[in-house]
Amino acid sequence: MGKYNFIFINGKFLEQKLTGVQRFAYETVKNIDTLIDDGAAFSELKDKVFLCVPSDVDESKLDFLKNIKIRKAKKGTGIFWEQTYFANDIRKNKALGLHLCNTVPFLQKKGIVCLHDITYTIHPEFVTTGKHQLMRLWHIVQDKVCAKKTLAILTVSENSRNEICDCFKIPQSRVDVVYNGWQHFSTEIAEGTTLSKWPELVEGKFFYSMSSLAKNKNFNWIIETAKRYPEYTFAVAGKMDLKKYGDTLSAGSELKNLHYLGYVSDDEAKLLMKNCRAFIFPSVFEGFGIPPLEALAMGTKVICAKASCLPEIFGDSVYYIDPYNYDVDFETLLSGKVSPASEVLEKYSWEKTASKTLEVVKRFF
């Protein structure tokens, strides 16, 4: 220790809903908090770690920490806070920045970043609207800065590490794989959470999926499959942002066996996973893919695209489909044998993610 006085964690993710990369950041920070406690593996860092958050983060979102100290900005929100006030805070306090959600402040880029994937850089075909194109341009710049200018890169699968290194021509030693966890789904479903909210769904009789309209999520597979198999019921949860991704919903709006549930809470997602016939994840590109892991944790059968990092993550514990083939014999598919979910679940935990992250931090702190 000596080059840096503190470790400042980028807390911009607390302005957003806990999905995907935000979930990764929240659970990683929560477990870092445990690992720096007195007598724990990284207790020497206890007084050095701060979570820095924008001015609009509600105090109720900050009560999950015991050891990490909070630095809440007096002003500034979102990207503007990250790129200005937070960057200046890092500089003034001679802190090591830890950025867990794909972006860094350009003025203080010599930190550690988790680059979950580089979708925007290597898959321009996934961009479908003007709003989405602006986001792509922002992330293309961020991807390059993260890959070329930071001290170290974290990512969430070997597949992502290979893509980052191949695209930016950097050595594998620059990138550490930290994976994700599932333990946020290990708690009991809250009392009063029932399927009665969705009377069209019958226990054990519907297929469940979590998706957005982003093209890599391959929502069209659900629509086309529902068209071909009216005898099956399909339920899809998630935010459907038409301005960002374009209108794909209209193609399935007349299907009586396809139901859009909107955003669901963790407890509702657990309930839906536990009571569906199988969880479907037809995505063609992922950095990791947390939802199938959550479903396995709930004891649910998982139907997964044989694409991207998914075979790496889930091995032989899920039922694979061709994400471009809509003709599926569900009865035959689900009667096949797969390996126990425990083979996957034992490999991943948020504690392991946090521990590996702190190991990387200690190389530079």
Side-chain angles (χ1 to χ4, degrees):
M1 298 185 189
K3 187 173 182 180
Y4 297 99
N5 294 327
F6 306 105
I7 300 157
F8 280 6
I9 302 174
N10 187 338
K12 183 164 69 72
F13 67 91
L14 287 173
E15 293 179 309
Q16 304 155 336
K17 287 183 177 179
L18 291 183
T19 60
V21 298
Q22 294 83 12
R23 168 73 68 189
F24 169 89
Y26 180 89
E27 297 296 338
T28 300
V29 171
K30 183 178 177 181
N31 280 267
I32 285 175
D33 189 67
T34 301
L35 289 172
I36 63 171
D37 201 359
D38 291 331
F42 296 89
S43 58
E44 71 273 21
L45 299 177
K46 182 174 181 178
D47 297 322
K48 303 296 181 179
V49 184
F50 291 77
L51 178 64
C52 303
V53 299
S55 64
D56 61 341
V57 172
D58 191 275
E59 294 293 335
S60 63
K61 290 187 174 183
L62 303 174
D63 60 5
F64 69 103
L65 299 175
K66 172 187 173 184
N67 299 298
I68 295 176
K69 300 173 179 61
I70 304 296
R71 290 178 67 87
K72 185 174 181 180
K74 293 181 180 179
K75 55 184 177 179
T77 61
I79 292 174
F80 181 73
W81 167 81
E82 177 186 64
Q83 296 297 319
T84 57
Y85 295 110
F86 182 46
N88 192 46
D89 208 17
I90 291 173
R91 180 188 60 79
K92 287 194 305 182
N93 290 280
K94 198 179 176 184
L96 173 63
L98 177 58
H99 314 279
L100 299 173
C101 295
N102 295 319
T103 61
V104 296
F106 292 135
L107 297 178
Q108 288 295 323
K109 49 190 174 285
K110 288 294 184 182
I112 298 168
V113 64
C114 186
L115 196 52
H116 294 251
D117 59 66
I118 51 171
T119 312
Y120 288 106
T121 295
I122 64 177
H123 286 292
E125 71 275 16
F126 292 161
V127 176
T128 54
T129 67
K131 178 181 178 181
H132 203 189
Q133 182 64 39
L134 288 174
M135 180 177 288
R136 176 176 180 257
L137 293 173
W138 167 252
H139 280 286
I140 286 175
V141 176
Q142 279 284 353
D143 287 352
K144 188 171 184 178
V145 170
C146 290
K148 296 285 192 178
K149 303 296 183 181
T150 55
L151 294 175
I153 304 162
L154 310 175
T155 195
V156 290
S157 66
E158 290 289 347
N159 186 74
S160 280
R161 172 156 73 173
N162 291 336
E163 288 175 337
I164 292 166
C165 294
D166 290 347
C167 179
F168 295 107
K169 303 295 186 287
I170 59 175
Q172 295 258 331
S173 58
R174 282 260 296 131
V175 186
D176 286 272
V177 179
V178 296
Y179 295 113
N180 279 274
W182 54 269
Q183 287 71 20
H184 56 286
F185 261 45
S186 62
T187 56
E188 293 294 321
I189 298 172
E191 188 175 348
T193 309
T194 68
L195 282 179
S196 61
K197 182 176 180 179
W198 306 283
E200 67 275 18
L201 303 182
V202 178
E203 182 179 343
K205 301 293 185 181
F206 65 95
F207 292 102
Y208 175 55
S209 183
M210 299 177 75
S211 184
S212 74
L213 296 182
K215 285 196 72 175
N216 64 295
K217 298 298 182 183
N218 198 21
F219 179 65
N220 191 58
W221 191 93
I222 301 290
I223 294 174
E224 292 299 324
T225 305
K227 284 181 183 177
R228 284 164 171 76
Y229 301 99
E231 68 271 28
Y232 296 123
T233 299
F234 298 84
V236 182
K239 184 180 179 182
M240 301 298 177
D241 190 338
L242 301 183
K243 289 183 179 179
K244 182 176 177 182
Y245 298 117
D247 186 4
T248 309
L249 288 177
S250 58
S253 60
E254 301 302 318
L255 297 174
K256 294 182 179 180
N257 64 328
L258 177 56
H259 306 282
Y260 304 113
L261 311 183
Y263 179 81
V264 298
S265 68
D266 279 358
D267 283 311
E268 289 171 335
K270 288 187 222 176
L271 180 78
L272 290 159
M273 287 176 174
K274 197 165 188 176
N275 288 281
C276 69
R277 184 173 181 191
F279 179 79
I280 301 177
F281 198 69
S283 181
V284 297
F285 185 86
E286 292 289 331
F288 181 93
I290 295 179
L293 192 63
E294 294 170 336
L296 288 176
M298 297 307 299
T300 305
K301 291 184 175 182
V302 173
I303 298 171
C304 205
K306 196 167 188 177
S308 189
C309 66
L310 301 177
E312 171 199 337
I313 302 302
F314 299 106
D316 297 323
S317 295
V318 301
Y319 301 89
Y320 288 106
I321 54 166
D322 178 348
Y324 301 105
N325 181 6
Y326 310 124
D327 296 314
V328 181
D329 184 339
F330 284 105
E331 304 306 320
T332 300
L333 179 68
L334 293 174
S335 66
K337 290 185 177 181
V338 294
S339 298
S342 59
E343 290 188 8
V344 172
L345 298 176
E346 288 171 3
K347 288 173 62 178
Y348 307 114
S349 76
W350 292 119
E351 182 180 357
K352 290 178 182 177
T353 302
S355 180
K356 181 65 175 179
T357 298
L358 287 176
E359 286 175 12
V360 176
V361 166
K362 284 189 67 176
R363 288 184 209 157
F364 302 95
F365 187 70

